């Protein structure tokens, strides 16, 4: 199985474990999966030093996903999903 297929399979497993349906909105899905993974989502100002200049950051040590508080909803969901991917794949 190639890396992309592996990541998609892991994402599907996480959605199923979190009990989210394919019909749910992206924001609902990523928040439910983050909670299932034990990750808190913290929205911070874009210039906050904790973000290290990024849109989002996984802070595994504290069980948090840090995100910019000025992102549009669709981009916010993508950033959160991306950080959950780091959490799931790089355990």
């Amino acid at each position: 199985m190639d890396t992309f297929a592996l990541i998609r399979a892991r994402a599907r497993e996480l959605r199923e474990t979190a009990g989210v349906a394919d019909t749910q909105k992206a924001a609902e899905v990523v928040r439910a999966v983050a909670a299932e993974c034990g990750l808190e989502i913290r929205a911070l100002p874009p210039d906050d030093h904790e973000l290290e200049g990024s849109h989002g950051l996984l802070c595994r040590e504290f069980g948090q996903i840090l995100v910019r508080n000025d992102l549009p909803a669709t981009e916010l969901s993508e950033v959160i999903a991306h950080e959950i991917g780091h959490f799931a794949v790089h355990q």
Side-chain angles (χ1 to χ4, degrees):
M1 181 180 296
D2 67 24
T3 303
F4 184 70
L6 179 65
I7 290 169
R8 287 181 55 92
R10 184 67 180 122
R12 189 171 28 262
E13 290 171 13
L14 286 170
R15 282 195 316 272
E16 290 171 2
T17 301
V20 294
D22 288 340
T23 57
Q24 285 181 281
K25 294 181 180 178
E28 296 170 348
V29 172
V30 295
R31 290 183 184 283
V33 172
E36 181 65 29
C37 292
L39 296 169
E40 173 191 2
I41 299 168
R42 284 184 51 215
L44 301 170
D47 60 350
D48 191 294
H49 72 279
E50 288 185 83
L51 284 168
E52 300 176 3
S54 65
H55 289 307
L57 185 71
L58 172 65
C59 188
R60 189 180 296 273
E61 180 182 358
F62 297 105
Q64 298 176 334
I65 294 175
L66 310 177
V67 294
R68 289 174 52 148
N69 65 2
D70 66 341
L71 297 175
T74 53
E75 189 175 347
L76 178 62
S77 295
E78 291 173 5
V79 169
I80 294 170
H82 179 92
E83 298 308 324
I84 291 170
H86 284 297
F87 179 82
V89 173
H90 306 293
Q91 292 187 27

